[in-house]
């Protein structure tokens, strides 16, 4: 079967690229191992009990990507009751220094939104299933790849042969396409895991994302939906947050082994009880963290997007934000290509690589340096970094740059 574009990987990046090409003249194939888990654990909204069905993996989506998700028609279908706006961010250093940003200071409505991974994946999945220029191969996985002068050819595990002018690898960190397409990658494990879990808390989060640089890693609390003020006679809604604690492997294992009450107490205490007492509402999970650098993300008839193209530390929450922007930029270039142009030509793909290189390197460099700065135990460094944070809080130019970085406005 012949296509213009074949996408391997129907995670958030691959699905977003497919959706963004909906109105184009291109014939698309999407190859995915398995469909995404249903949103809200398969239960419907309030009926399911408000604390149930939450996904442990929550993303902080930048305003630029909320706009992209609106443009591709997905945002309006997300359940608004499960989306929380972020109006402020508070970062606390290991010596007590503080840095605060607000949407008001940044001159924007929101600094971002928090959404469940499964909520976005389920909606994007439904959307590609309805897409008239797309053929879905699922469950399916590629077995062999041959790149020829005119086409990339995939043989699937079931023997089906697909070919296209362009093959896009959106198949995550351990990308099969990257490996079989001969694109090199260096993966440097941080020796840390990101422990994620959601909690109900006794105090309102006031739409504020909080982050602590601690001796045992970086602890982040993101506001979750359901923080409304209680009106008499209304259903009781509780305050909720999502945690990502990026911490050395041994400490991550210790956290995962704690009974729910002890974990809730440990996490609440680590944040100085800023939001009162906690109760665990989703089981804790953990993911290994590494810095993945891919010097070349394109080759003739081949392009990588999302985690297949880069891996960053979750301390800045930029992972899927970078992936969505990869999808947006690549889709714009492909859709704008005139009919006579070969969409798999290196000339066209090099424009995608150039357009994405700067932001990706900047995010990787900044998060890696920040992590290093707060992990190092060199004498004097602790006070230096905390003085730096306090200074940044008082210098409007530096602060403005940091806000722009945080909201993905570079
Ligand atoms: C602890 C933690 C917290 C995070 N928090 C945030 C956050 O707050 N904000 C943020 O933006 N990012 C965050 N991230 C990063 C984010 O999870 C990833 O950047 C994102 O999931 C990448 O999406 P993707 O579509 O590129 O890849 P994936 O989600 O890995 O999707 C790849 C898809 O390809 C499919 N696939 C793989 N191989 C094959 C194959 N051979 N054949 C067919 N299909 C295949 C898989 O089934 C999957 O569906 C976090 C990451 C971690 C570890």
């Amino acid at each position: 079967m012949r296509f213009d574009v074949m996408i391997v990987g129907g995670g958030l990046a691959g699905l977003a690229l497919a959706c963004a090409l909906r109105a184009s003249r291109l014939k698309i194939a999407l190859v995915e191992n398995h469909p995404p888990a249903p949103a809200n654990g398969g239960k419907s909204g309030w009926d399911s009990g408000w604390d149930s069905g939450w996904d442990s993996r929550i993303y902080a989506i930048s305003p630029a990507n909320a706009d992209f998700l609106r443009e591709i028609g997905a945002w309006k279908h997300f359940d608004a009751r499960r989306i929380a706006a972020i109006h402020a961010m508070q970062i606390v250093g290991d010596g007590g220094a503080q840095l605060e940003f607000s949407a008001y200071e940044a001159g924007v409505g929101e600094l971002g939104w928090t959404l469940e991974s499964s909520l976005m994946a389920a909606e994007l999945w439904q959307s590609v299933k309805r897409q008239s220029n797309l053929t879905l191969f699922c469950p399916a996985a590629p077995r062999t790849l041959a790149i020829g002068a005119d086409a990339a050819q995939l043989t699937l595990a079931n023997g089906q042969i697909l070919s296209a002018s362009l093959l896009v690898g959106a198949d995550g960190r351990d990308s099969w396409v990257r490996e079989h397409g001969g694109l090199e990658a260096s993966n440097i494990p941080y020796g840390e895991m990101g422990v994620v879990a959601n909690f109900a808390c006794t105090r309102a989060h006031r739409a504020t994302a909080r982050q602590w640089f601690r001796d045992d890693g970086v602890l982040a609390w993101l506001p979750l939906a359901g923080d409304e003020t209680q009106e008499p006679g209304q259903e009781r809604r509780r305050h909720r947050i999502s945690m990502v604690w990026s911490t050395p492997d041994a400490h991550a294992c210790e956290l995962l082994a704690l009974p729910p009450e002890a974990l809730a107490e440990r996490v609440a205490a680590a944040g100085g009880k800023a939001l009162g007492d906690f109760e665990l509402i989703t089981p804790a999970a953990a993911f290994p963290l590494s810095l993945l650098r891919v010097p070349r993300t394109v080759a003739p008839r081949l392009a990588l997007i999302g985690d297949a193209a880069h891996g960053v530390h979750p301390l800045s929450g930029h992972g899927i934000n970078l992936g969505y922007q990869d999808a947006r930029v690549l889709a714009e270039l492909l859709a704008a290509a005139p009919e006579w142009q070969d969409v798999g030509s290196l000339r066209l793909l090099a424009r995608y690589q150039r357009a994405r290189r700067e932001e990706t390197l900047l995010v990787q460099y900044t998060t890696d340096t920040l992590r290093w700065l707060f992990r190092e135990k060199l004498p004097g460094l602790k006070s230096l970094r905390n003085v730096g944070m306090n200074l940044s809080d008082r210098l409007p130019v530096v602060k403005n740059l940091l806000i722009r970085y945080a909201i993905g406005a570079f």
Side-chain angles (χ1 to χ4, degrees), residues 9 11-13 32-33 57-59 140 142 170-172 287 306-307 317 319-321:
L12 295 177
E32 166 56 46
N33 261 332
R57 190 170 278 210
I58 305 286
Y59 295 121
D171 48 349
F287 308 86
D307 275 19
I320 198 54
N321 286 303

Side-chain angles (χ1 to χ4, degrees), residues 18-188:
C19 287
L21 291 171
R22 183 175 36 217
S24 75
R25 61 177 172 79
L26 301 169
K27 216 175 141 202
I28 302 154
L30 177 63
V31 180
E32 166 56 46
N33 261 332
H34 49 77
N40 193 9
K43 297 166 187 154
S44 62
W46 305 108
D47 307 337
S48 61
W50 184 238
D51 276 345
S52 71
W54 282 87
D55 185 349
S56 296
R57 190 170 278 210
I58 305 286
Y59 295 121
I61 298 296
S62 69
N65 280 319
D67 286 345
F68 172 55
L69 291 166
R70 279 187 199 100
E71 281 160 25
I72 65 174
W75 189 270
K76 63 175 182 280
H77 295 294
F78 297 154
D79 184 346
R81 295 170 303 182
R82 294 181 88 96
I83 301 179
I86 304 175
H87 287 143
M89 283 173 78
Q90 199 178 67
I91 301 174
V92 183
D94 52 353
Q98 287 210 11
L99 193 55
E100 290 189 20
F101 315 139
S102 72
Y104 176 76
E105 279 176 284
V108 292
E110 292 81 16
L111 292 176
W113 284 266
T114 59
L115 274 84
E116 291 157 279
S117 178
S118 55
L119 182 81
M120 289 188 284
E123 179 46 44
L124 291 168
W125 184 255
Q126 287 310 319
S127 177
V128 299
K129 276 171 64 180
R130 295 190 295 266
Q131 199 165 321
S132 58
N133 65 342
L134 183 139
T135 309
L136 187 55
F137 297 87
C138 179
R143 198 176 57 203
T144 62
L145 167 64
I147 307 266
D150 301 322
Q153 184 175 294
L154 278 184
T155 307
L156 301 185
N158 67 2
Q160 267 183 305
I161 296 176
L162 316 181
S163 67
S165 305
L166 172 63
L167 170 63
V168 179
D171 48 349
R173 230 161 230 248
D174 302 321
S175 171
W176 182 96
V177 172
R178 189 180 66 224
E179 192 191 329
H180 288 79
L183 291 170
E184 281 175 14
S186 75
N187 194 21
I188 306 161

Side-chain angles (χ1 to χ4, degrees), residues 59 61 74 102-103 126 142 181 186 197 222 229 248 253 317 364 366 368 373-374 377:
Y59 295 121
I61 298 296
S102 72
Q126 287 310 319
S186 75
L222 294 172
T229 313
C253 293
Q364 286 187 323
T366 320
D368 201 46
L373 201 60
F374 281 91
K377 305 276 185 269

